[in-house]
Amino acid sequence: RSGVELVMKRMLSFIAIIFIFLGYAFVAEQKHTSNHRNETKRIGLLQYMDQPALKQIQKGVYAGLKESGYTVGKNLKVDYQNAQGNQSNLKTMSEKFENEGVDLSIGITTPASISLANTTSTTPILMSGVTDPRSASLVQNLKHPEKNITGVSDQAPLEEQLELIQKLMPNLKTLGIIYTSSDNSAITQFKKFKQLVSKTGIKLKAYSISNSNDLNQVSQNMVQNVDAVFVPTDNTIAGAMSTLVKNANAANVPIFPTVDSMVKDGGIATYSVNQYQLGVLTGKMAARVLNGEKISQTPIEFIKHGDLTINLKQAQKLGIKIPKDLMQEAQKKGELIK
């Protein structure tokens, strides 16, 4: 019996040592994380241009960082730069971040993220609002990014959006789609949307612009030949939405964008990724990377389901009836603009 008791005592002692070790390890990790948060970190935040959706992402980034323990003025410095849609500005600003020795850079939109990626292969980079990271050659493996870049995608729920268009316009015959020919995100969505529409019997007519100066003339021509307009995630068109809305309203043609801010600017309805929430996710991811999480262990994140936004005022102006179930859904899970 004494032998058994001795073995039991040794086992209990061994277990106690393990628990003590784990306790020390936990305290050490908490201290390590706390030190990371108390130490002032520097972030470069690069935004491609001014438009409402991108501003929401920007606000969300700050909120996500703050929720994770990083507050500007306390333990965080942010160098915010806006390229105003200019490619040369992107390059200059990206180099500025690298010369400053920032701990991490965040690119809002595909052009901003590509510019940062072209500037450094060592400083951690987070992309935010990039529709297709692989086609933009930013990453190849979405689950285990192999370079120094990861982030949060704004891939729109195109299937939901097409179903919404069909539900609101059951007799739709010809649908126009307009996008910027140099916008990687817009091109990716155009190709995917084209495949979806090909299965419906609806005729899709595509129109492209090279810059915002083309939008007035091209959209005037488009609205004379289509029953409705779909706009993918496109920063150039979002920044000049008033021009598109003016021409579409003159022809009594509804616009279905992919972004909620574009619905507020005169679109009819959309199932869209919440831009603010996208920014919050980016900010929280940035905090994890600042705390020591490796990029290769930080997969690209996607928001799988869109929130329903309906511009009831615009729908009434164009004579489109919104079913009650959709209005209730927008009120509960999205936004109903009256």
Side-chain angles (χ1 to χ4, degrees):
R1 181 180 297 178
S2 60
V4 174
E5 290 177 348
L6 181 61
V7 171
M8 291 294 294
K9 286 181 179 179
R10 288 178 176 175
M11 288 182 64
L12 290 173
S13 298
F14 180 69
I15 292 171
I17 290 171
I18 291 176
F19 273 110
I20 291 172
F21 174 77
L22 291 174
Y24 275 118
F26 177 76
V27 171
E29 176 60 26
Q30 291 300 306
K31 186 176 180 180
H32 176 71
T33 301
S34 177
N35 287 339
H36 267 292
R37 289 178 178 173
N38 291 331
E39 176 187 340
T40 298
K41 297 290 187 179
R42 290 175 295 176
I43 288 180
L45 181 58
L46 181 58
Q47 185 171 314
Y48 178 51
M49 66 187 300
D50 266 326
Q51 58 114 317
L54 303 188
K55 288 181 181 178
Q56 286 301 307
I57 295 176
Q58 177 200 333
K59 290 179 180 178
V61 168
Y62 284 105
L65 282 162
K66 189 173 184 179
E67 284 181 36
S68 303
Y70 286 97
T71 304
V72 175
K74 292 180 68 176
N75 58 354
L76 181 67
K77 291 183 179 179
V78 178
D79 183 355
Y80 168 71
Q81 298 288 327
N82 189 320
Q84 302 296 340
N86 187 298
Q87 291 289 336
S88 61
N89 286 346
L90 286 176
K91 186 175 185 296
T92 301
M93 292 167 180
S94 297
E95 291 173 349
K96 181 176 184 287
F97 293 161
E98 193 63 14
N99 292 334
E100 290 173 346
V102 297
D103 297 293
L104 177 148
S105 292
I106 298 175
I108 299 179
T109 70
T110 301
S113 300
I114 290 175
S115 180
L116 291 171
N118 288 340
T119 303
T120 177
S121 60
T122 54
T123 303
I125 299 168
L126 296 190
M127 64 185 97
S128 189
V130 175
T131 301
D132 192 342
R134 280 191 292 205
S135 70
S137 298
L138 290 167
V139 298
Q140 294 303 316
N141 190 322
L142 298 176
K143 293 184 178 180
H144 300 286
E146 63 285 350
K147 300 179 183 178
N148 61 320
I149 183 166
T150 186
V152 186
S153 171
D154 67 344
Q155 175 61 61
L158 299 178
E159 294 89 348
E160 284 184 307
Q161 290 174 341
L162 180 56
E163 290 173 3
L164 177 65
I165 294 172
Q166 289 178 291
K167 189 168 185 176
L168 294 181
M169 300 188 71
N171 299 318
L172 178 66
K173 294 182 179 179
T174 304
L175 178 62
I177 181 169
I178 187 167
Y179 63 94
T180 304
S181 57
S182 59
D183 190 313
N184 182 275
S185 297
I187 294 170
T188 296
Q189 289 190 2
F190 161 62
K191 291 178 180 178
K192 291 182 177 180
F193 193 71
K194 183 179 179 180
Q195 291 179 336
L196 292 172
V197 174
S198 67
K199 303 172 185 177
T200 65
I202 297 172
K203 182 179 180 181
L204 185 68
K205 299 192 71 172
Y207 299 82
S208 66
I209 61 172
S210 58
N211 54 58
S212 58
N213 294 329
D214 298 338
L215 185 58
N216 186 52
Q217 183 176 350
V218 173
S219 61
Q220 281 182 345
N221 176 47
M222 174 180 62
V223 295
Q224 299 301 320
N225 296 285
V226 300
D227 303 313
V229 174
F230 176 72
V231 186
T233 305
D234 189 306
N235 294 307
T236 301
I237 295 178
M241 186 64 175
S242 59
T243 299
L244 178 59
V245 171
K246 172 179 66 71
N247 291 335
N249 282 351
N252 206 45
V253 171
I255 301 171
F256 294 91
T258 55
V259 183
D260 54 359
S261 62
M262 295 171 77
V263 173
K264 296 174 184 178
D265 288 339
I268 295 293
T270 188
Y271 275 107
S272 70
V273 170
N274 186 303
Q275 303 297 303
Y276 178 79
Q277 185 59 32
L278 190 152
V280 170
L281 290 176
T282 307
K284 290 181 176 180
M285 181 182 288
R288 299 202 307 270
V289 174
L290 290 175
N291 289 338
E293 184 172 299
K294 294 180 179 179
I295 293 292
S296 61
Q297 298 173 348
T298 310
I300 305 293
E301 293 186 12
F302 294 84
I303 299 176
K304 295 182 179 179
H305 300 292
D307 294 335
L308 178 60
T309 301
I310 297 174
N311 189 329
L312 188 59
K313 183 179 179 181
Q314 183 70 4
Q316 291 171 341
K317 181 187 295 185
L318 298 180
I320 295 177
K321 186 176 181 181
I322 307 295
K324 286 186 178 180
D325 63 322
L326 289 181
M327 286 197 288
Q328 291 173 348
E329 181 183 347
Q331 286 177 318
K332 290 180 181 179
K333 299 180 182 180
E335 185 175 0
L336 185 63
I337 303 164
K338 298 181 180 179

